[in-house]
Amino acid sequence: QLQASGGGLVQTGGSLRLSCAASGRTFTAFAMAWFRQAPAKEREFVAVVSWAGGSTRYSDSVKGRFTVSRDHAKNTVYLQMNSLKPEDTAVYYCAADPEFIARLTFRSEANEYEYWGQGTLVTVSS
């Protein structure tokens, strides 16, 4: 089970930290990702982190502004979002890929992720 939280309303240039609490299984072999979906748009990849090694990948639109990380002790994945822009407004979802450890390559398509959290809304005002 994945539980996302931390969304809210923030002004342009502000920061937010999203959390994704994982429970119910061992996630060591997984890659944990964040996606987002703006109104009338498809769900898009934002960032991903390997649970075991901590390697990361980002979409070009957030690279340098967002940081994805994980805390083993808290079984939680974070998305630190800085320098937020109105175009970052979306519902943010965390997702888990259980097959990562078998491939050691990150996936960026939503339909390639098996487990999903419920989403948390981020609104950036101009």
Side-chain angles (χ1 to χ4, degrees):
Q1 183 178 359
L2 303 176
Q3 183 76 26
S5 62
L9 174 63
V10 64
Q11 291 185 334
T12 296
S15 297
L16 279 176
R17 188 177 79 160
L18 306 183
S19 300
C20 177
S23 63
R25 63 187 309 127
T26 300
F27 289 85
T28 305
F30 286 32
M32 305 296 293
W34 289 94
F35 285 77
R36 67 186 181 187
Q37 188 165 18
K41 292 189 176 181
E42 293 187 355
R43 195 167 296 189
E44 66 169 349
F45 168 79
V46 174
V48 61
V49 61
S50 66
W51 193 273
S55 55
T56 59
R57 193 173 90 186
Y58 299 88
S59 68
D60 289 343
S61 61
V62 307
K63 198 174 298 181
R65 299 187 297 123
F66 291 11
T67 302
V68 61
S69 61
R70 82 273 187 260
D71 184 326
H72 287 146
K74 296 183 178 180
N75 233 28
T76 299
V77 176
Y78 301 100
L79 184 67
Q80 177 66 44
M81 306 185 295
N82 299 328
S83 302
L84 283 161
K85 305 174 182 179
E87 51 263 43
D88 295 317
T89 294
V91 177
Y92 283 71
Y93 298 89
C94 58
D97 172 13
E99 298 179 359
F100 170 74
I101 201 67
R103 305 182 323 273
L104 294 181
T105 56
F106 289 128
R107 291 172 166 173
S108 58
E109 296 296 326
N111 60 11
E112 295 175 312
Y113 282 77
E114 183 170 342
Y115 303 106
W116 288 86
Q118 85 289 2
T120 184
L121 176 62
V122 172
T123 304
V124 184
S125 63
S126 57

